[in-house]
Amino acid sequence: MTSAEVPSGAVTPSRVLAAEWTKVASLASTPWTVVGTVGSAGVLAFVLGLFAGPGHAVSATSLVTSGYQPAQLGALVLGVLVGSADFATGTSLTTYAAVPRRLPVLGAQVVVTAALTLAAGLLALAASVAATTGARRTTGLAWSAADPGDLRAAVGYVLFLAGVGVCGVGLGALLRRPLAALTSGVALFVLLDQVLAANPGRVADTVRALLPSGGAGLFADDARLAALAAGPGPDLGPWGAGLVLGAWCAGLALLAGYRLARRDVT
């Protein structure tokens, strides 16, 4: 059947995607979350750059990406709001009456969130590069997207934020309550990592590498990657860390899809 033959009221993937995009774009919280993600990443990178000096153990990559902590919280909030919005606002019955097969809605939410967080990640990276220009000049650290290492870290930084956003969608759709999903996301991405980092060892480092927060290895600089490789935990490398984050994204989305398909939507 060609697009011209599709009945006017038929539910198609493109129409579900357009509907989810309209819903997300119409939320007042969406632009503010993106602005907060970009602004907080740039401001923190700028502030940390003020403390960098010649001879300090800092690289251009670590300086540019140093604002990732607040940026990941922004991406997580965005994903959680998208995944839980229908259940939190009571519009889930309307949504799934219009799309009875349900799973296309979740797929569209994942696509919309990935697109938004990719864009936010690019803007956050650009803001951080601009905000650390003075600090890099003072410390003599060069950063260029033409350098393979810098380019890999830049791509990894953007992919990491997109992955956090998709995990947020999975948590939001699975738990259906924004506060519960956000709390779980903060525990997975921040609290567990910090607790394990304070108690290093083979078991703690192995668990850290397999947490979604381990995806931060995507934008680690060479010194950080060498330290991870020399530690007691597994040496996954930047792309292995990305695969771990991708597995969390897929796992949470599958669990959310299973609940969506098997349980009531109220």
Side-chain angles (χ1 to χ4, degrees), residues 35-109:
V35 170
T37 300
V38 175
S40 60
V43 168
L44 184 57
F46 173 77
V47 172
L48 293 178
L50 296 177
F51 298 95
H56 290 183
V58 64
S59 68
T61 295
S62 65
L63 204 56
V64 167
T65 60
S66 58
Y68 85 93
Q69 289 277 15
Q72 74 174 356
L73 291 178
L76 181 65
V77 168
L78 182 60
V80 165
L81 290 177
V82 173
S84 62
D86 279 329
F87 305 103
T89 60
T91 58
S92 54
L93 289 176
T94 304
T95 297
Y96 295 106
V99 190
R101 294 181 64 185
R102 300 182 181 180
L103 293 183
V105 174
L106 180 61
Q109 290 172 343

Side-chain angles (χ1 to χ4, degrees), residues 8-243:
S8 59
V11 177
T12 65
S14 61
R15 286 172 176 166
V16 175
L17 186 60
E20 289 303 312
W21 173 259
T22 300
K23 275 198 297 188
V24 174
S26 63
L27 292 174
S29 60
T30 299
W32 286 111
T33 305
V34 173
V35 170
T37 300
V38 175
S40 60
V43 168
L44 184 57
F46 173 77
V47 172
L48 293 178
L50 296 177
F51 298 95
H56 290 183
V58 64
S59 68
T61 295
S62 65
L63 204 56
V64 167
T65 60
S66 58
Y68 85 93
Q69 289 277 15
Q72 74 174 356
L73 291 178
L76 181 65
V77 168
L78 182 60
V80 165
L81 290 177
V82 173
S84 62
D86 279 329
F87 305 103
T89 60
T91 58
S92 54
L93 289 176
T94 304
T95 297
Y96 295 106
V99 190
R101 294 181 64 185
R102 300 182 181 180
L103 293 183
V105 174
L106 180 61
Q109 290 172 343
V110 167
V111 172
V112 167
T113 302
L116 276 173
T117 46
L118 280 173
L122 281 171
L123 293 173
L125 178 67
S128 298
V129 170
T132 56
T133 300
R136 286 184 283 113
R137 185 185 300 116
T138 302
T139 54
L141 298 173
W143 189 92
S144 172
D147 181 271
D150 291 341
L151 178 60
R152 186 269 303 162
V155 172
Y157 183 77
V158 176
L159 291 177
F160 174 75
L161 293 182
V164 174
V166 172
C167 283
V169 175
L171 285 170
L174 178 63
L175 301 179
R176 301 185 176 183
R177 297 291 181 271
L179 182 58
L182 188 57
T183 302
S184 300
V186 170
L188 278 174
F189 279 94
V190 181
L191 296 182
L192 279 176
D193 184 68
Q194 295 299 318
V195 170
L196 293 170
N199 300 278
R202 179 178 293 277
V203 174
D205 286 8
T206 299
V207 174
R208 282 187 74 199
L210 299 179
L211 287 173
S213 55
L218 275 166
F219 54 86
D221 60 11
D222 292 341
R224 174 64 179 157
L225 291 174
L228 291 173
D235 178 18
L236 300 177
W239 302 117
L243 288 176

